[in-house]
Amino acid sequence: MIRVMLVDDQAIVRAGFRVILEDAGDIEVVAEASSGSAAIELARRLQPDVICMDVRMPHGDGLTATRQILANAPGSPPAVLVVTTFDLDEYVFGALESGASGFILKDCEPEDLVEAIRRLANGYGLVDQAVTHRVISEFAKRTPAPPSDAAAAHQLTARETEIVELLAQGLSNVEIADRLFIETSTVKSHLGRAMAKIGVRDRLQTVVWAYQNGVVRR
């Protein structure tokens, strides 16, 4: 069972999400919070698998709460799915830089929300499909290009680095496999080892790491 916490200042939104998620059968809503500050304490105490986090809330915004929750997690940190009505770059980039694993809009279809929760619980970061490629390309433009970090780069083998670069370009596992003439299962294995080495939980944060450490060729 995937344990989820809902964080939104609107009770009606939390109630709607609870009905959608608990109807899925494999998801349990273990807590609700109406502010970022309340979410920080609940996350520390309950340690949910996934947190659905609103951005704009009184008494602590969602991005600040995300940073604190991930920094203070006693064990394996939860995956944070930022769910917002605002399709604005500043929120997308703020979510990525705060350590969120995914971003989705509140007007998504119910099945898309359920699928996003499942993906994050299984270690797959996600950005709403309508903005995926724009987010990655704009993130690359806005993130200053540091000199290649030798220490960071040397953590990865040549093949792992190649796969991380292609991932950062927005390619799927299947597309990476086709590009490199290898099996999709091989891509998954290399990517899993790369993520373990650099200490990230999901694909989205792997992309962020690659740009921040100068691993991606620009």
Side-chain angles (χ1 to χ4, degrees), residues 85-104:
T85 57
F86 301 100
D87 179 16
L88 299 176
D89 287 341
E90 62 181 290
Y91 296 110
V92 179
F93 299 123
L96 296 180
E97 291 166 349
S98 298
S101 296
F103 172 92
I104 199 166

Side-chain angles (χ1 to χ4, degrees), residues 22 33 48 70 75-76 84 101 113 123:
E22 293 193 334
L70 297 180
S76 178
T84 179
S101 296
L113 177 62

Side-chain angles (χ1 to χ4, degrees), residues 93 96 127 131-141 167-171 204 207 211:
F93 299 123
L96 296 180
V127 178
V131 295
T132 298
H133 291 290
R134 177 169 63 83
V135 166
I136 291 176
S137 62
E138 285 297 320
F139 186 83
K141 291 177 185 176
L167 178 70
Q169 294 173 24
L171 273 66
L204 188 54
V207 173
Y211 280 111

Side-chain angles (χ1 to χ4, degrees), residues 35-163:
S35 69
S37 57
I40 293 169
E41 172 57 26
L42 281 172
R44 184 195 63 77
R45 183 157 50 87
L46 298 176
Q47 300 181 43
D49 300 312
V50 179
I51 298 175
C52 291
M53 181 74 73
D54 191 18
V55 174
R56 288 185 173 179
M57 294 178 291
H59 310 299
D61 67 272
L63 302 187
T64 299
T66 294
R67 281 191 290 269
Q68 293 189 34
I69 287 171
L70 297 180
N72 299 336
S76 178
V80 177
L81 176 66
V82 173
V83 188
T84 179
T85 57
F86 301 100
D87 179 16
L88 299 176
D89 287 341
E90 62 181 290
Y91 296 110
V92 179
F93 299 123
L96 296 180
E97 291 166 349
S98 298
S101 296
F103 172 92
I104 199 166
L105 301 179
K106 283 184 179 177
D107 62 0
C108 69
E109 296 297 324
E111 56 268 26
D112 292 336
L113 177 62
V114 171
E115 180 61 20
I117 296 292
R118 289 172 176 158
R119 284 180 59 84
L120 265 64
N122 288 312
Y124 289 92
L126 136 155
V127 178
D128 185 278
Q129 289 302 307
V131 295
T132 298
H133 291 290
R134 177 169 63 83
V135 166
I136 291 176
S137 62
E138 285 297 320
F139 186 83
K141 291 177 185 176
R142 296 186 183 203
T143 303
S148 183
D149 185 336
H154 286 167
Q155 296 180 61
L156 308 180
T157 65
R159 179 61 92 186
E160 289 165 356
T161 300
E162 193 173 23
I163 288 173

